């Protein structure tokens, strides 16, 4: 289409698709819905095109359960990207042609929706109830239609249904009668931490009480706040009272599952005060991914454990609950018997699920409201035992969480490089070109050259590999994982696909071999000198499983990985890289916090000050009606 000619709504949506603002599915869904509305007026057809595209985009790309008409604006699809003329061809007036077309498309869609969008949705729901249903005007029975308008939120039907079902299941458990409260003396007998600690208000004591008294309890806190210690203590009490209790431990990923199991078994040995028989029972408890627990059938996409065929358990403990999406939380809750206890663990300040919803964050935010009933089901752990209180990393993560960009920049500027460093050798900037990037990486990679690559065996190599990790916000671009993995390979002299020491990350689940998306293994020669890829066994702490490279499902190098993939992991030292793209919606406060808290000893951040400030200012917002349903 020639410039200067007015766009139709269909052409505007195609422009957004071409420029990467919406997906092919968003466009196809919009056109399919428009064709099947039965509408005769072009005005109505165009409105359906726009709201369908937006509903799809926010649910599947922005991971929101809905669009909140009060807060969400069509402008959110078009971040104010700086037009530096690098990636776009400039027109005569200095503005890129692509950007001009995008601005034109945005204006076309804004005009199509009109100024009063609530009135527009009310009108469409009255005229076309078979396409968009006004849930506020009906009772409990909502017909199956593509769109649900529940003022002020617009949903795709599936996410409206998920949200309502989850809220109903959660409220049943919240309203359940409490069990008997433990005395302070009884809590002191559980583990060495409580034996020595005072009952100060840091959430630890409350966590034990809630987990033992409530049908549903939530324990939220950052790394090192004692979640595993508390869970171990809770397990010891449950198994002491009822040795035959059926307990299920689970986590969203194989990596998180293995870490959970390892941490609990470590606590059994060093912290619990119960007798050896109870300790043995806890150490023998298996853990699984949520998919495996729910008996997921990858052939038909169905789950064997559900409301009709629930799990045979008395207690469910789910770790890394912030990573659990709305649909998966619904499936998990369906499968737990109504009289069983559910304990959710997680960090509400971390990145949310890569799929739709932010269930843990929604509930934890609700629990902070003064009159919320959820205050009695949520315990927030505030004291970190991983990072020294008042130390560089502790202060930085707290500043990030508060959205205090000035404080964070001050912390980074004053850091002496022992546990916290900013930029290249104290110079607060990014590598200026490809050559400087290579040189800077070589310096950082000495940690691997002197570490795991010199290990005498695979067991030592895997342990030492986790002493350092490079984390990125993006996959693409010069400072994304795709580019960095190639550069690091070259810098380390790893020219063969499966050279000794090459880390491999699984990117597609393989249920036959129990290899799952995010699992990381190392290439290493076996006793015969044949290269195998070794993975930690998530079900048997300290043991390894080996595979021929040809047996692996889809995978990629993981010298550098995204922050999203690193959730549920911890590393001795971390290099966190953010590209110079302050408008990227990926760069959020939660991503920065998650990246910083993956370290145990030290984090180095490569980022410009303007990107750091923009990242800390940008909080992840996922539209949802869950909090309102749970009030």
């Amino acid at each position: 289409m020639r410039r200067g000619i007015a766009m139709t709504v269909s052409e505007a949506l195609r422009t957004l698709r071409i420029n990467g603002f919406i997906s092919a599915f968003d466009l196809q869904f919009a056109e399919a819905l428009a064709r099947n509305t039965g509408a005769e007026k072009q005005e109505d057809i165009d409105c359906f095109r726009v709201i369908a595209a937006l509903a799809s985009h926010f649910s599947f790309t922005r991971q929101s359960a809905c669009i909140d008409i009060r807060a969400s604006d069509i402008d959110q699809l078009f971040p104010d990207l700086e037009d530096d003329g690098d990636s776009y061809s400039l027109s005569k007036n200095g503005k890129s042609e692509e950007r001009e077309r995008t601005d034109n498309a945005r204006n076309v869609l804004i005009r199509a929706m009109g100024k009063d969008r609530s009135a527009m949705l009310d009108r469409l729901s009255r005229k076309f109830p078979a396409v968009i249903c006004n849930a506020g005007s009906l009772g409990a029975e909502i017909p199956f239609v593509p769109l649900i308008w529940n003022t002020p939120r617009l949903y795709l039907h599936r996410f409206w249904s998920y949200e309502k079902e989850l809220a109903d299941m959660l409220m049943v458990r919240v309203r359940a009668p409490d069990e008997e409260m433990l005395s302070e003396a009884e809590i002191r007998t559980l583990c060495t931490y409580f034996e020595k600690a005072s009952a100060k208000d840091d959430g630890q004591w409350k966590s034990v009480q809630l987990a033992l008294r409530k049908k549903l309890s939530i324990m939220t806190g950052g790394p090192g706040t004692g979640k595993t210690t508390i869970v171990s203590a809770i397990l010891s009490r449950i198994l002491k009272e009822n040795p035959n209790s059926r307990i299920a431990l689970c986590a969203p990923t194989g990596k998180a599952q293995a870490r959970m199991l390892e941490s609990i078994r470590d606590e059994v040995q060093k912290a619990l005060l119960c007798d050896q028989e109870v300790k043995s029972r806890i150490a023998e408890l298996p853990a699984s991914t949520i998919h495996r627990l729910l008996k997921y059938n990858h052939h038909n996409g169905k789950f064997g454990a559900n409301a009709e065929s629930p799990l045979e358990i008395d207690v469910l403990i789910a770790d890394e609950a912030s990573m659990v999406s709305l649909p998966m939380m619904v499936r998990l809750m369906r499968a737990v018997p109504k009289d069983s206890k559910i304990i959710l663990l997680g960090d509400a300040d971390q990145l949310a699920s890569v799929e739709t919803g932010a269930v843990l964050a929604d509930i934890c935010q609700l629990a902070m409201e003064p009159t919320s009933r959820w205050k009695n089901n949520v315990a927030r752990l505030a004291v970190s035992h991983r990072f020294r209180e008042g130390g560089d990393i502790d202060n930085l993560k707290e500043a990030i969480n508060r959205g205090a960009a000035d404080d964070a920049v001050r912390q980074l500027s004053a850091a002496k490089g022992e546990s916290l460093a900013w930029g290249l050798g104290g110079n607060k900037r990014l590598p200026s070109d490809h050559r400087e990037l290579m040189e800077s990486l070589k310096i950082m990679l000495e940690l691997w050259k002197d570490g795991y690559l010199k290990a005498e065996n695979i067991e030592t190599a895997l342990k030492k590999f986790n002493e350092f990790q490079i984390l990125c916000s993006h996959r693409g671009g010069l400072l994304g994982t795709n580019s960095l993995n190639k550069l690091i390979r070259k810098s380390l002299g790893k020219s063969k696909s499966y050279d000794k020491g090459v880390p491999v990350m699984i990117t597609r689940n393989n249920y036959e071999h129990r290899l799952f998306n995010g699992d990381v293994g190392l290439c290493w020669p076996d006793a015969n000198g044949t290269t195998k890829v070794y993975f930690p066994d998530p079900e048997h702490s300290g043991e390894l499983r080996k595979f021929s490279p040809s047996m692996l499902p889809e995978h990629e190098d993981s010298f550098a990985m995204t922050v999203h993939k690193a959730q549920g992991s911890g590393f001795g030292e971390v290099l966190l890289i953010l590209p110079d793209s302050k408008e990227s919606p990926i760069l959020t406060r939660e991503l920065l916090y998650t990246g910083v808290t993956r370290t145990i000893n030290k984090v180095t951040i490569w980022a410009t000050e303007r990107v750091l400030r923009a990242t800390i200012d940008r909080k992840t917002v996922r539209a949802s009606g869950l909090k309102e349903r749970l009030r």
Side-chain angles (χ1 to χ4, degrees):
M1 188 186 70
R2 297 192 311 275
R3 288 178 58 207
I5 298 178
M7 291 182 180
T8 64
V9 167
S10 287
E11 288 167 340
L13 289 171
R14 283 199 293 274
T15 296
L16 300 190
R17 168 64 194 124
I18 292 168
N19 289 342
F21 288 105
I22 63 174
S23 71
F25 179 83
D26 299 336
L27 180 59
Q28 291 164 5
F29 178 66
E31 292 300 333
L33 194 72
R35 286 195 302 270
N36 292 282
T37 60
E40 296 179 357
K41 291 183 178 180
Q42 191 63 44
E43 174 192 2
D44 293 335
I45 295 171
D46 285 344
C47 282
F48 272 120
R49 280 194 175 97
V50 177
I51 64 173
L54 288 177
S56 173
H57 176 79
F58 274 85
S59 292
F60 295 114
T61 301
R62 299 299 181 92
Q63 291 85 38
S64 290
C66 57
I67 307 174
D68 189 327
I69 294 301
R70 296 169 303 182
S72 298
D73 193 275
I74 197 168
D75 292 345
Q76 290 189 24
L77 286 176
F78 317 98
D80 231 352
L81 298 175
E82 294 173 358
D83 194 359
D84 58 9
D86 229 8
S87 17
Y88 299 115
S89 57
L90 292 180
S91 61
K92 290 179 182 178
N93 64 7
K95 192 174 187 181
S96 74
E97 293 183 8
E98 284 81 357
R99 186 52 194 261
E100 190 168 329
R101 287 173 61 82
T102 298
D103 287 344
N104 192 12
R106 173 178 55 189
N107 293 331
V108 168
L109 301 188
I110 289 173
R111 286 195 299 271
M113 292 187 73
K115 292 181 179 179
D116 191 340
R117 292 165 191 176
S118 290
M120 179 266 292
L121 290 164
D122 284 339
R123 177 176 61 81
L124 291 178
S125 63
R126 287 193 302 269
K127 289 182 68 176
F128 307 99
V131 181
I132 178 170
C133 168
N134 190 332
S137 65
L138 297 175
E141 293 299 319
I142 302 296
F144 185 80
V145 297
L147 299 172
I148 302 292
W149 169 229
N150 194 12
T151 311
R153 299 175 185 88
L154 175 68
Y155 293 82
L156 295 179
H157 189 284
R158 64 181 292 193
F159 294 111
W160 182 88
S161 179
Y162 279 141
E163 191 178 272
K164 182 179 185 304
E165 183 181 0
L166 178 61
D168 291 344
M169 291 189 289
L170 289 171
M171 291 306 294
V172 167
R173 292 183 179 278
V174 168
R175 291 169 178 150
D178 292 351
E179 298 176 29
E180 187 178 350
M181 181 182 288
L182 264 65
S183 68
E184 184 176 317
E186 287 176 301
I187 294 177
R188 289 189 185 280
T189 65
L190 298 179
C191 67
T192 55
Y193 174 81
F194 291 113
E195 185 183 39
K196 300 171 184 176
S198 61
K200 58 183 177 179
D201 187 22
D202 63 0
Q204 302 267 7
W205 295 75
K206 182 180 179 182
S207 294
V208 174
Q209 291 285 14
L210 293 186
L212 293 173
R213 295 177 63 208
K214 303 285 186 179
K215 287 295 182 186
L216 172 67
S217 62
I218 296 171
M219 196 185 307
T220 178
T225 50
K227 295 189 290 293
T228 306
T229 300
I230 295 167
V231 166
S232 303
I234 291 164
L235 288 172
S236 71
R237 173 72 184 191
I238 290 172
L239 289 170
K240 181 181 178 181
E241 293 294 305
N242 183 3
N244 297 316
S245 288
R246 299 165 299 174
I247 298 169
L249 307 176
C250 66
T253 67
K255 188 188 302 181
Q257 163 206 339
R259 190 170 173 82
M260 177 191 195
L261 203 57
E262 182 181 0
S263 299
I264 288 176
R265 289 173 179 172
D266 186 47
E267 290 294 331
V268 166
Q269 297 305 317
K270 70 180 186 182
L272 294 190
L273 297 174
C274 54
D275 60 44
Q276 189 57 47
E277 186 177 351
V278 173
K279 287 183 179 181
S280 297
R281 286 200 186 97
I282 296 172
E284 291 167 2
L285 287 173
S288 67
T289 63
I290 294 175
H291 276 77
R292 190 173 180 209
L293 177 69
L294 299 183
K295 303 171 187 175
Y296 177 69
N297 186 325
H298 63 282
H299 295 296
N300 60 20
K302 295 182 179 179
F303 293 82
N306 48 48
E308 290 71 37
S309 181
L311 297 164
E312 295 180 355
I313 59 172
D314 302 305
V315 181
L316 172 78
I317 300 177
D319 198 10
E320 297 291 350
S322 66
M323 298 169 64
V324 182
S325 67
L326 170 63
M328 188 53 65
M329 191 66 82
V330 169
R331 295 183 183 107
L332 185 61
M333 295 287 292
R334 283 174 184 164
V336 180
K338 289 182 173 56
D339 58 348
S340 297
K341 188 184 296 292
I342 296 177
I343 303 169
L344 302 179
L345 319 173
D347 186 349
D349 296 319
Q350 251 185 214
L351 282 166
S353 162
V354 294
E355 297 180 11
T356 302
V359 176
L360 187 74
D362 280 346
I363 296 175
C364 291
Q365 288 168 17
L366 182 58
M368 294 175 72
E369 296 178 2
T371 59
S372 172
R373 72 176 83 214
W374 282 89
K375 288 193 301 181
N376 298 321
N377 291 77
V378 177
R380 184 175 290 271
L381 310 178
V383 179
S384 175
H385 303 283
R386 175 183 294 185
F387 308 120
R388 181 174 60 84
E389 189 172 0
D392 286 346
I393 297 177
D394 186 57
N395 287 337
L396 177 62
K397 73 178 180 62
E398 291 304 314
I400 293 168
N401 265 343
R402 297 196 314 273
D406 287 344
D407 288 351
V409 168
R410 251 193 313 272
Q411 290 291 333
L412 284 163
S413 298
K416 296 181 173 62
E418 296 170 0
S419 60
L420 187 63
W422 184 10
L424 312 177
N427 194 341
K428 305 173 184 64
R429 60 180 178 81
L430 290 169
S432 58
D433 53 33
H434 190 276
R435 181 197 58 78
E436 188 178 31
L437 174 59
M438 286 288 288
E439 290 302 315
S440 302
L441 283 174
K442 283 180 181 178
I443 296 170
M444 298 300 297
L445 295 179
E446 293 300 321
L447 292 164
W448 275 335
K449 289 178 180 177
D450 295 335
Y452 89 95
L453 290 173
K454 289 185 177 180
E456 295 181 357
N457 54 58
I458 181 59
E459 290 80 8
T460 305
L462 270 168
K463 185 179 295 185
K464 284 184 172 291
F465 176 71
N466 285 327
E467 291 179 357
F468 173 66
Q469 182 62 54
I470 297 173
L471 302 180
C472 304
S473 58
H474 293 65
R475 290 179 59 84
L478 179 63
L479 298 177
T481 57
N482 295 340
S483 170
L484 287 175
N485 276 316
K486 292 175 184 175
L487 291 174
I488 293 168
R489 255 188 178 275
K490 183 177 180 181
S491 184
L492 293 176
K494 302 296 176 184
S495 57
K496 297 178 183 177
S497 295
Y498 302 100
D499 257 342
K500 177 182 176 181
V502 170
V504 169
M505 177 182 284
I506 302 301
T507 58
R508 183 180 291 275
N509 294 338
N510 183 298
Y511 292 87
E512 180 183 356
H513 296 315
R514 291 185 295 117
L515 290 171
F516 301 101
N517 188 2
D519 289 353
V520 175
L522 273 183
C523 298
W524 208 264
D526 63 12
N528 299 317
T530 304
T531 297
K532 303 291 184 183
V533 187
Y534 291 81
F535 292 84
D537 190 330
E539 296 175 12
H540 301 92
S541 182
E543 296 184 19
L544 302 178
R545 297 188 299 147
K546 65 179 179 180
F547 298 88
S548 296
S550 60
M551 295 176 63
L552 298 180
E554 291 179 26
H555 56 277
E556 62 188 21
D557 289 355
S558 63
F559 294 105
M561 68 173 70
T562 62
V563 175
H564 280 84
K565 292 288 189 182
Q567 286 189 92
S569 299
F571 309 99
E573 183 171 341
V574 162
L575 168 61
L576 176 60
I577 304 176
L578 309 181
D580 193 16
S581 177
K582 72 183 182 71
E583 303 299 345
S584 170
I586 292 175
L587 296 176
T588 63
R589 184 183 307 173
E590 291 79 7
L591 179 134
L592 184 58
Y593 168 85
T594 303
V596 165
T597 56
R598 292 314 87 200
T599 190
I600 297 171
N601 301 315
K602 179 180 178 180
V603 60
T604 299
I605 299 176
W606 285 4
T608 63
E609 182 174 334
R610 71 173 199 144
V611 163
L612 275 172
R613 288 183 176 279
T615 300
I616 293 169
D617 287 342
R618 185 182 295 111
K619 187 169 176 57
T620 299
V621 177
R622 290 189 174 181
S624 161
L626 186 62
K627 285 189 286 188
E628 280 66 23
R629 293 182 185 277
L630 294 177
R631 284 196 168 94

